[in-house]
Amino acid sequence: MQDRRDYLRLMGGAFALSLLARSEPVRAVTGPPPMPDAKQFQSGDFLWPKKPGVFVPYDAGSPRPVDADKVKWYEERDRFIANVANRAPYFTPAQTERMRKLTYEEFRERYTGTRKPGGGTYSVSGPIYVGHVAIIDIDEAGAPWIIEALWGRGVIRRPYTDWTTERAGEVVWLGRLAKLSVADRAKIPAESRKHVGKPYDFWNFNLNDDTGFYCTKLAWMSAFRSLNIAVDDDLNPKRAFWFSPKQLLYVARVTRLIDPGPYGTR
């Protein structure tokens, strides 16, 4: 009987040690994960930053409350409709009418990517956030740069270190176009560099028009012109709705190398 008690005590101790060993790596995580390590980057990769649970205006511009964001969007929508013959001459009467009737709420639902065209969702929806995407450019010395289209600043190129400083505390996804060589992917930022200094234009729907850009349009056009591919497999650049950052994150061509979770829940 004593041997049995000793055996049970021994096994109990071993079991407790095994639980301790298994639980030791599990630690409470507070705050957002660290910024991606630049050693993982290749030219032509994409970064999607996101402020956790924070409302960001549809153009990712200066902070403003939801009501003011809504007013601004309607003003810009109406101005676009009034000038659609010049702004998007390929728009059909039906497309123009759909845009005229498009509500701010419907726009947010589609552009944030909570709803796929034709039904279904990209991921679980969460706090309202428009989103952003940037292009990675590795220079000849191996240093990473970021190329992106920003409200109020247009298309800019800056060191990754500056980008991380400005976006401290944000959650970041890292993605790469699959089934392409390193040399081919590097052609994407090479194309993007040609457009540095051009203006931000959220209402320029032609993805192959290089007079103005929003963030995802720059990514789409850079791949389209340099590699003759459409990242979303739609080769028609004359769109009647925006191509959103969340759409790009979840297209079949993109492999997510860093994925903190469904974009929209963080």
Side-chain angles (χ1 to χ4, degrees), residues 15-30:
F15 180 67
L17 287 173
S18 69
L19 285 178
L20 180 61
R22 271 185 261 174
S23 62
E24 187 176 3
V26 180
R27 298 180 177 89
V29 178
T30 57

Side-chain angles (χ1 to χ4, degrees), residues 240-255:
F241 198 85
W242 298 265
F243 178 52
S244 75
K246 194 168 185 180
Q247 283 177 286
L248 177 59
L249 179 61
Y250 289 103
V251 297
R253 289 179 179 270
V254 167
T255 298

Side-chain angles (χ1 to χ4, degrees), residues 61-95:
S62 57
R64 67 181 78 100
V66 178
D67 288 346
D69 195 56
K70 183 175 182 177
V71 169
K72 185 174 185 291
W73 185 87
Y74 276 122
E75 289 175 350
E76 293 189 357
R77 183 206 62 180
D78 292 346
R79 190 158 53 246
F80 171 81
I81 294 298
N83 295 282
V84 69
N86 294 320
R87 298 286 279 144
Y90 62 86
F91 261 44
T92 66
Q95 289 171 328

Side-chain angles (χ1 to χ4, degrees), residues 5 15 37 49 53 140 157 165 179 190 217 219 233 241 249 264:
R5 284 196 294 269
F15 180 67
D37 185 346
E140 293 181 356
R157 182 177 183 265
T165 298
K179 300 179 181 179
K217 176 183 171 178
D233 293 316
F241 198 85
L249 179 61

Side-chain angles (χ1 to χ4, degrees), residues 156-182:
I156 64 170
R157 182 177 183 265
R158 55 178 165 164
Y160 177 61
T161 51
D162 292 354
W163 191 86
T164 58
T165 298
E166 184 175 295
R167 294 189 176 276
E170 298 191 22
V171 181
V172 179
W173 284 250
L174 169 64
R176 177 176 298 161
L177 288 178
K179 300 179 181 179
L180 293 173
S181 68
V182 173

Side-chain angles (χ1 to χ4, degrees), residues 46-49 58-60 111 129-135 147-151 154-155 167 192 199-202 204 207 212-222 242-246 248 263:
F46 302 110
L47 291 174
W48 290 260
Y58 65 88
D59 53 13
Y111 189 75
Y129 186 90
V130 169
H132 181 66
V133 66
I135 302 165
I147 305 174
E148 57 191 338
L150 296 173
W151 180 89
V155 179
R167 294 189 176 276
S192 300
Y200 184 90
D201 187 351
F202 189 72
N204 189 328
L207 297 180
F213 297 89
Y214 58 93
C215 63
T216 338
K217 176 183 171 178
L218 179 64
W220 191 96
M221 196 194 75
S222 296
W242 298 265
F243 178 52
S244 75
K246 194 168 185 180
L248 177 59
Y263 195 97

